[in-house]
Amino acid sequence: MPATRRASVSTAHFDKAYRARTDPWGTLHKAYEREKFADTASLLPAGRFGSALEIGCGVGALTRLLAPHCDALLATDCSAAAIEQARGNCADLDGVSFATLRVPEDLAEGEADLDLVVMSEVGYYLSDADLHLAARRIHARLRPGGHLLLAHWVHEGSEGVVTGRGVHEAFRAVPGTVPVAGRDASRYGETYRLDLLRRDTLQG
């Protein structure tokens, strides 16, 4: 689907997709999705994360791989229908909670309280203005030294449309953001892009 556009895709669009079909993007069984999520989780740095936020959890396929690395993981999606499926698919996981959240509107500009934020296949559904606002708000919520893990499909975009690579560039451009050396990938025929970023420890 073409990426960041003039208006962000509505919550109703995703609710309709999840109501019409269980796991509409095949994230639980498609080989491409399984490899992408395994690659995404493999980029996490060693150790555990005290407080983590997943943006765009869908039906919880990546959530299952993130949970073992986190003391507390809040998995979110703009679609209440997706959250219903995710809760059922991840009912056996400890330390995981679920909530509806739409970025950037519902992402509070409060205290820097997160050690990890993961955003998978969300950025190119946002308008250009919403994408850049989301990047700033997510950065502000990370503790100094906290990590942001991004995963997005790389595709051809029409003029003025941001692709998966462009989404990652928007996040990398936020002042105080540091790419983690060796923690990036573009695989499966270079059809998806992964990047691990870190909030500079010198930034207050």
Side-chain angles (χ1 to χ4, degrees):
M1 185 171 185
T4 301
R5 71 274 332 271
R6 292 180 179 86
S8 295
V9 176
S10 69
T11 296
H13 169 88
F14 294 104
D15 268 332
K16 181 178 180 180
Y18 283 102
R19 297 285 183 204
R21 184 178 176 187
T22 300
D23 190 17
W25 281 273
T27 58
L28 296 174
H29 65 271
K30 287 185 179 179
Y32 166 87
E33 299 292 347
R34 289 201 303 268
E35 178 178 320
K36 179 184 66 179
F37 291 143
D39 277 349
T40 302
S42 74
L43 293 187
L44 290 171
R48 292 184 63 79
F49 300 93
S51 179
L53 171 67
E54 182 186 5
I55 297 172
C57 69
V59 301
L62 180 56
T63 309
R64 298 197 64 86
L65 300 181
L66 298 175
H69 301 273
C70 306
D71 294 333
L73 171 63
L74 175 59
T76 70
D77 200 281
C78 70
S79 168
I83 291 297
E84 288 176 14
Q85 294 188 38
R87 279 199 179 100
N89 292 329
C90 300
D92 60 316
L93 298 180
D94 294 327
V96 180
S97 56
F98 295 89
T100 56
L101 180 144
R102 183 169 176 83
V103 293
E105 298 95 321
D106 299 335
L107 194 61
E109 296 184 82
E111 180 183 359
D113 57 353
L114 295 170
D115 301 303
L116 173 69
V117 175
V118 178
M119 176 185 275
S120 177
E121 311 292 10
V122 173
Y124 45 63
Y125 290 111
L126 302 177
S127 70
D128 189 66
D130 282 349
L131 172 64
H132 286 86
L133 180 56
R136 295 193 299 273
R137 288 187 173 180
I138 289 170
H139 178 85
R141 288 292 301 276
L142 286 170
R143 294 188 175 103
H147 289 85
L148 169 63
L149 181 56
L150 299 170
H152 287 84
W153 174 45
V154 174
H155 56 281
E156 295 296 328
S158 59
E159 185 177 356
V161 174
V162 178
T163 67
R165 287 193 182 93
V167 169
H168 289 212
E169 289 305 313
F171 282 91
R172 290 166 69 104
V174 176
T177 298
V178 181
V180 178
R183 298 283 177 163
D184 59 80
S186 186
R187 300 177 182 162
Y188 214 93
E190 298 192 348
T191 56
Y192 60 83
R193 178 73 192 177
L194 311 174
D195 278 286
L196 181 67
L197 309 175
R198 178 174 54 83
R199 179 170 175 173
D200 196 334
T201 54
L202 300 178
Q203 187 182 45

